Amino acid sequence: NLDGVASATFTARKNQWVFLFDFLYVAFEDTFYEGSLLQATPRLEGRIFELAGTYQSASIKQLHVIAGLRRQDIDVELNFLSSTPQAAVDWVDPFVGVIYVPSLTDNWSLSLRGDIGGFGIESDSAVNAEAMLRYQFGKTFSLKFGYRYLKVKFEDSSFVYDIGLDGFLFGLGIKF
């Protein structure tokens, strides 16, 4: 039922500081009671942008503290009984967390990230968790494979968004 997912991450490092930009696009559509008079087709399309900074602890080299802003832009529609009501909402929330990056071997490393956000400022709550395994081949390229879970609860006077997005990720890292 997943129509598509796209993700891109940009990271810049200087000493113990890291600047991070992350983009995630997801589209989901499903059909219920297909072929009947009650056929319903909900569709969700979302874009999530993160802008954050991390600081690497001098005493624990593998531990980074992360803080930033996460913007979510969500569009939903429901095709039901010859009508298509639509809603769109976007919000920006702060988040804080940690990233733990132990080296496993010269070429293999693990990245474990957890953060929480929302705090009732815009969304009620947001929980993000990610585990990535990276293989570095050469000085320039790496392959990444992992899993991400993002749970967000947002509610205003006309819109309720209480959803969990999770799944496997893979990608190519380029260092320059």
Side-chain angles (χ1 to χ4, degrees), residues 62 100-105 108-112:
Q62 300 98 344
Y100 181 63
V101 188
S103 291
L104 304 175
T105 68
W108 290 93
S109 65
L110 180 66
S111 175
L112 303 172

PDB file of all heavy atoms in Angstrom, residues 62 100-105 108-112:
ATOM      1  N   GLN A  62      32.203   8.246  21.250  1.00  0.00           N
ATOM      2  CA  GLN A  62      31.175   7.704  20.362  1.00  0.00           C
ATOM      3  C   GLN A  62      29.800   8.336  20.594  1.00  0.00           C
ATOM      4  O   GLN A  62      28.856   8.047  19.880  1.00  0.00           O
ATOM      5  CB  GLN A  62      31.037   6.176  20.537  1.00  0.00           C
ATOM      6  CG  GLN A  62      32.287   5.410  20.234  1.00  0.00           C
ATOM      7  CD  GLN A  62      33.055   5.068  21.512  1.00  0.00           C
ATOM      8  OE1 GLN A  62      32.830   5.622  22.569  1.00  0.00           O
ATOM      9  NE2 GLN A  62      33.989   4.153  21.388  1.00  0.00           N
ATOM     10  N   TYR A 100      24.672   7.310  19.272  1.00  0.00           N
ATOM     11  CA  TYR A 100      25.810   6.523  19.729  1.00  0.00           C
ATOM     12  C   TYR A 100      26.397   5.819  18.513  1.00  0.00           C
ATOM     13  O   TYR A 100      25.683   5.099  17.817  1.00  0.00           O
ATOM     14  CB  TYR A 100      25.355   5.513  20.792  1.00  0.00           C
ATOM     15  CG  TYR A 100      26.461   4.664  21.357  1.00  0.00           C
ATOM     16  CD1 TYR A 100      27.510   5.235  22.068  1.00  0.00           C
ATOM     17  CD2 TYR A 100      26.453   3.291  21.185  1.00  0.00           C
ATOM     18  CE1 TYR A 100      28.519   4.463  22.594  1.00  0.00           C
ATOM     19  CE2 TYR A 100      27.465   2.507  21.710  1.00  0.00           C
ATOM     20  CZ  TYR A 100      28.498   3.101  22.412  1.00  0.00           C
ATOM     21  OH  TYR A 100      29.510   2.323  22.927  1.00  0.00           O
ATOM     22  N   VAL A 101      27.707   6.057  18.238  1.00  0.00           N
ATOM     23  CA  VAL A 101      28.346   5.550  17.029  1.00  0.00           C
ATOM     24  C   VAL A 101      29.625   4.787  17.363  1.00  0.00           C
ATOM     25  O   VAL A 101      30.728   5.325  17.247  1.00  0.00           O
ATOM     26  CB  VAL A 101      28.672   6.699  16.038  1.00  0.00           C
ATOM     27  CG1 VAL A 101      29.149   6.154  14.699  1.00  0.00           C
ATOM     28  CG2 VAL A 101      27.487   7.608  15.838  1.00  0.00           C
ATOM     29  N   PRO A 102      29.497   3.522  17.792  1.00  0.00           N
ATOM     30  CA  PRO A 102      30.715   2.742  18.052  1.00  0.00           C
ATOM     31  C   PRO A 102      31.269   2.142  16.755  1.00  0.00           C
ATOM     32  O   PRO A 102      30.517   1.746  15.862  1.00  0.00           O
ATOM     33  CB  PRO A 102      30.215   1.633  18.985  1.00  0.00           C
ATOM     34  CG  PRO A 102      28.788   1.437  18.590  1.00  0.00           C
ATOM     35  CD  PRO A 102      28.291   2.803  18.178  1.00  0.00           C
ATOM     36  N   SER A 103      32.596   2.111  16.657  1.00  0.00           N
ATOM     37  CA  SER A 103      33.238   1.413  15.539  1.00  0.00           C
ATOM     38  C   SER A 103      33.286  -0.066  15.884  1.00  0.00           C
ATOM     39  O   SER A 103      33.686  -0.445  16.977  1.00  0.00           O
ATOM     40  CB  SER A 103      34.653   1.931  15.320  1.00  0.00           C
ATOM     41  OG  SER A 103      34.610   3.242  14.837  1.00  0.00           O
ATOM     42  N   LEU A 104      32.875  -0.886  14.946  1.00  0.00           N
ATOM     43  CA  LEU A 104      32.904  -2.329  15.167  1.00  0.00           C
ATOM     44  C   LEU A 104      34.217  -2.932  14.681  1.00  0.00           C
ATOM     45  O   LEU A 104      34.796  -3.785  15.335  1.00  0.00           O
ATOM     46  CB  LEU A 104      31.712  -2.986  14.471  1.00  0.00           C
ATOM     47  CG  LEU A 104      30.338  -2.432  14.891  1.00  0.00           C
ATOM     48  CD1 LEU A 104      29.235  -3.053  14.067  1.00  0.00           C
ATOM     49  CD2 LEU A 104      30.100  -2.656  16.374  1.00  0.00           C
ATOM     50  N   THR A 105      34.680  -2.492  13.507  1.00  0.00           N
ATOM     51  CA  THR A 105      35.981  -2.866  12.938  1.00  0.00           C
ATOM     52  C   THR A 105      36.505  -1.643  12.202  1.00  0.00           C
ATOM     53  O   THR A 105      35.904  -0.567  12.276  1.00  0.00           O
ATOM     54  CB  THR A 105      35.859  -4.057  11.950  1.00  0.00           C
ATOM     55  OG1 THR A 105      35.139  -3.628  10.799  1.00  0.00           O
ATOM     56  CG2 THR A 105      35.171  -5.258  12.582  1.00  0.00           C
ATOM     57  N   TRP A 108      33.542  -1.372   9.538  1.00  0.00           N
ATOM     58  CA  TRP A 108      32.156  -1.463   9.983  1.00  0.00           C
ATOM     59  C   TRP A 108      31.905  -0.564  11.191  1.00  0.00           C
ATOM     60  O   TRP A 108      32.700  -0.513  12.116  1.00  0.00           O
ATOM     61  CB  TRP A 108      31.803  -2.897  10.376  1.00  0.00           C
ATOM     62  CG  TRP A 108      31.725  -3.835   9.233  1.00  0.00           C
ATOM     63  CD1 TRP A 108      32.728  -4.632   8.758  1.00  0.00           C
ATOM     64  CD2 TRP A 108      30.594  -4.093   8.409  1.00  0.00           C
ATOM     65  NE1 TRP A 108      32.284  -5.375   7.685  1.00  0.00           N
ATOM     66  CE2 TRP A 108      30.966  -5.065   7.457  1.00  0.00           C
ATOM     67  CE3 TRP A 108      29.291  -3.602   8.374  1.00  0.00           C
ATOM     68  CZ2 TRP A 108      30.091  -5.535   6.486  1.00  0.00           C
ATOM     69  CZ3 TRP A 108      28.419  -4.077   7.410  1.00  0.00           C
ATOM     70  CH2 TRP A 108      28.819  -5.033   6.484  1.00  0.00           C
ATOM     71  N   SER A 109      30.755   0.136  11.162  1.00  0.00           N
ATOM     72  CA  SER A 109      30.339   0.927  12.324  1.00  0.00           C
ATOM     73  C   SER A 109      28.829   0.827  12.490  1.00  0.00           C
ATOM     74  O   SER A 109      28.105   0.469  11.556  1.00  0.00           O
ATOM     75  CB  SER A 109      30.767   2.386  12.186  1.00  0.00           C
ATOM     76  OG  SER A 109      30.110   2.998  11.097  1.00  0.00           O
ATOM     77  N   LEU A 110      28.388   1.149  13.670  1.00  0.00           N
ATOM     78  CA  LEU A 110      26.981   1.109  14.014  1.00  0.00           C
ATOM     79  C   LEU A 110      26.580   2.507  14.450  1.00  0.00           C
ATOM     80  O   LEU A 110      27.365   3.228  15.060  1.00  0.00           O
ATOM     81  CB  LEU A 110      26.777   0.115  15.162  1.00  0.00           C
ATOM     82  CG  LEU A 110      25.380  -0.098  15.688  1.00  0.00           C
ATOM     83  CD1 LEU A 110      24.505  -0.753  14.623  1.00  0.00           C
ATOM     84  CD2 LEU A 110      25.430  -0.979  16.930  1.00  0.00           C
ATOM     85  N   SER A 111      25.356   2.909  14.123  1.00  0.00           N
ATOM     86  CA  SER A 111      24.834   4.198  14.577  1.00  0.00           C
ATOM     87  C   SER A 111      23.458   3.959  15.183  1.00  0.00           C
ATOM     88  O   SER A 111      22.560   3.452  14.515  1.00  0.00           O
ATOM     89  CB  SER A 111      24.731   5.178  13.400  1.00  0.00           C
ATOM     90  OG  SER A 111      24.116   6.374  13.818  1.00  0.00           O
ATOM     91  N   LEU A 112      23.319   4.302  16.455  1.00  0.00           N
ATOM     92  CA  LEU A 112      22.048   4.179  17.163  1.00  0.00           C
ATOM     93  C   LEU A 112      21.590   5.577  17.560  1.00  0.00           C
ATOM     94  O   LEU A 112      22.316   6.299  18.250  1.00  0.00           O
ATOM     95  CB  LEU A 112      22.210   3.314  18.412  1.00  0.00           C
ATOM     96  CG  LEU A 112      22.748   1.904  18.184  1.00  0.00           C
ATOM     97  CD1 LEU A 112      23.039   1.227  19.516  1.00  0.00           C
ATOM     98  CD2 LEU A 112      21.766   1.085  17.360  1.00  0.00           C
TER      99      LEU A 112
END
